[in-house]
Amino acid sequence: MSFAVALRSGRLPCGAVKKAAIPAATSAIAVQARGYAAPAKPTKKTASKFRSNAKNEQTKSAPRDPGLFRPMAASALTDPIFQSDQRTPLQLPTFRAETITPEVANTAMAFPTEDSKALKAYGLPTNVLVDYLLLSKPCSVIRQVTVDVLNELDKAAGSSSANARLVFTGKPGCGKSYVLLQAVQYSVQKEWISFYIPRAINLVNSSTPYTYDPRTQTYGQPAFAQQLLKRFVDVNEALIQGMKVQRTYPFEERTIDSTSSLMDLINLGLEVQQQAPTVINTLLTELSEQTKFPVLLAIDDFQALYCVSHYRDPFYKAIKAYHLSLPRTLLEFASGKRSLQRGAVLGALSTQNTTFRAPLELVEALGLEPTVPSNPYVRREPELVAYASGLRNFPVPDKLTVDEAASIFEVWQSTKALHITRGDETFLSKYTEAGGNAREFVQKSLLQTVAM
C-alpha cells in the first residue's frame, strides 16, 4: 500500500503522519520566506557602453581637406545672381516743417532721425509699422491733403482748440493714419506740445488693468496712464521743463501747488501708478490753460472712444468708453466741453477693427453715410451726441493721384523690396489693380510680387 493510499484510508500511524507532515510544512514555510521576505541581491553595476554620436563621428570620419570648401573671392562672383540684395539707404529729402509747401506735393520725404522722437516714443499704428519694417527708413509722401492739414495747424497755433477739432475720414486704406502721423511730426518740429495716441483701441479693448475711482466715478487705467506719461516726457521734456503749475492739487502723497513744476506733477504719476490717471487729467488741465506753447491732441482709431468697451463692471455689464477716465478726458476736449487756449484736436477714423466701428451718433455728426439702417425711430445715445457735437469732417481723398502713386512706387523700388522691373507699364498696371487706393497699391499690388 502506498503512502498516499494509506494516508487517505487512515491506516497510517500518527507518528508517521507527524513526521511526514512537519518536514513538508517546514519546507513550504522556508520556500515562502525565501520568495517574499528575503532581501534582493544587489545587481552589479556595469559601465555603460553607450558613446555619443559626436565622438563616434569624430573617430570614424576622416580628416577634412582644408581646401575642399574654400570660399571664392568676392571679385570672382561676377554673375548677377550673386549681387547683394540688401536694402540700401533711401536717398530722400528730409521732412522739415519749413519746406512743406504746395510745391513739394507728390514728393516722398524721410523723417529726420533726430526729430523722430515722437514716432519712437508714442509708437505707430499697426499698418504704418508694417510698412516701416520693410523700408530702410521711415518716410511718407507729401500729398495735397497733407499741405491742407498743416495749414490748419498753423491757423490753430494762435487760437483755441474749440475752432480746430478735425476728424480725418475716408475709405479704408486711403492714408488717414499717414496724414495724422505727418501732422504729429510737423507739430514736434514747430515746437508744439504733442500728445499722440496711435492705437486708441487699446484704451477700450480690456488689454490693461482698470480700477474704479469713487472720487470721479470713473474707471482708471493706471498702467496705461503711467506708460503714456513716460512717453509724453520723452517727447516734450525740453518744452515743459520750466513750466509751473497754476493751481493747487491735493494728493494723498503730497500737495502740488503753484511752487511746483509740471515735472513734479508728472513725477508723482510716474512714482505712484494708482495716481497716474488723475495726474494725466490734471496735466491736460494745466496744458489747456497755458499759452506759451500750442498743444496738439492726436488720436488714431478715434471712433473707439465712442464705442462700448470690453471692460466689465462688478455686475458684469459692459462699461461705456466715456465711463473710463482717459477716454472721457479726450472726449471732453474733442467735443469742446474743455478746450486748449492754443492748439488743436485731430482724430482719424479706422475701419480695420470691425469690433469698434463708428457709432451712428458719430457718423451723423460728421455728415457721413450711415452703414446701418437709420431713421428717426433709431435711438441715439444723448451722451454720445453731446461728445460728437462740433467735430469737423476733414475728408482724405479715396484715391492717390498718379504723381503720388509714382512717388510711392519709386520708394519701394529704390529699397529693393519689389521683384518686378521698373517701367511705366508695370506701374500703371499695379495702379489700376489697386483702383488708386494707397493701401491696396502697396500691400496687394506691389508687395504681392514677392509672395511665394
Side-chain angles (χ1 to χ4, degrees), residues 149 152-166 192-193 195 294-299 333 339-347:
V149 170
E152 293 288 340
L153 287 183
D154 291 337
K155 297 177 183 178
S159 61
S160 172
S161 64
N163 304 321
R165 293 176 287 129
L166 311 179
W192 284 46
I193 297 176
F195 202 92
V295 182
L296 174 65
L297 294 181
I299 308 155
F333 282 99
S339 59
L340 306 164
Q341 294 294 327
R342 297 178 59 194
V345 179
L346 301 181

Side-chain angles (χ1 to χ4, degrees), residues 6-22:
L7 183 62
R8 286 195 295 268
S9 60
R11 296 179 181 180
L12 193 67
C14 295
V17 174
K18 292 180 180 179
K19 291 180 181 179
I22 291 174

Side-chain angles (χ1 to χ4, degrees), residues 359-381:
L360 180 61
E361 295 85 352
L362 180 61
V363 169
E364 292 181 342
L366 296 174
L368 302 176
E369 187 69 23
T371 57
V372 296
S374 173
N375 56 69
Y377 299 99
V378 176
R379 182 180 180 276
R380 277 77 168 173
E381 194 167 345

Side-chain angles (χ1 to χ4, degrees), residues 6 10 16 74 108 119 140 179 196 262 311 338 383 388 410 429:
L119 312 186
S140 63
V179 175
Y196 177 42
L262 276 183
Y311 292 99
R338 299 166 63 181
E383 291 83 359
E410 289 294 330
S429 65

Side-chain angles (χ1 to χ4, degrees), residues 23-38:
T26 306
S27 62
I29 295 174
V31 170
Q32 184 178 5
R34 285 195 299 269
Y36 295 92

Side-chain angles (χ1 to χ4, degrees), residues 386-444:
Y387 283 129
S389 63
L391 293 173
R392 181 150 60 98
N393 182 7
F394 200 97
V396 176
D398 297 335
K399 297 182 179 180
L400 296 169
T401 65
V402 175
D403 294 333
E404 294 169 352
S407 297
I408 296 177
F409 183 80
E410 289 294 330
V411 167
W412 286 96
Q413 188 73 45
S414 300
T415 197
K416 295 185 178 180
L418 308 181
H419 294 179
I420 54 178
T421 57
R422 180 180 301 183
D424 293 343
E425 183 178 355
T426 303
F427 162 70
L428 290 176
S429 65
K430 298 300 180 183
Y431 178 76
T432 305
E433 288 176 10
N437 184 271
R439 185 190 303 163
E440 298 287 331
F441 179 65
V442 173
Q443 297 184 1
K444 294 188 178 179

Side-chain angles (χ1 to χ4, degrees), residues 29-71:
I29 295 174
V31 170
Q32 184 178 5
R34 285 195 299 269
Y36 295 92
K41 295 182 180 180
T43 58
K44 294 183 179 180
K45 295 184 179 180
T46 58
S48 175
K49 298 182 179 180
F50 174 77
R51 296 291 183 271
S52 62
N53 294 334
K55 294 182 178 180
N56 292 340
E57 292 178 359
Q58 290 179 0
T59 57
K60 294 180 181 179
S61 60
R64 178 174 293 179
D65 183 5
L68 186 60
F69 297 102
R70 186 176 300 169

Side-chain angles (χ1 to χ4, degrees), residues 111-130:
F111 293 129
T113 306
E114 64 278 6
D115 292 334
S116 298
K117 53 187 177 181
L119 312 186
K120 298 177 182 178
Y122 288 123
L124 297 168
T126 304
N127 54 335
V128 179
L129 179 61
V130 171

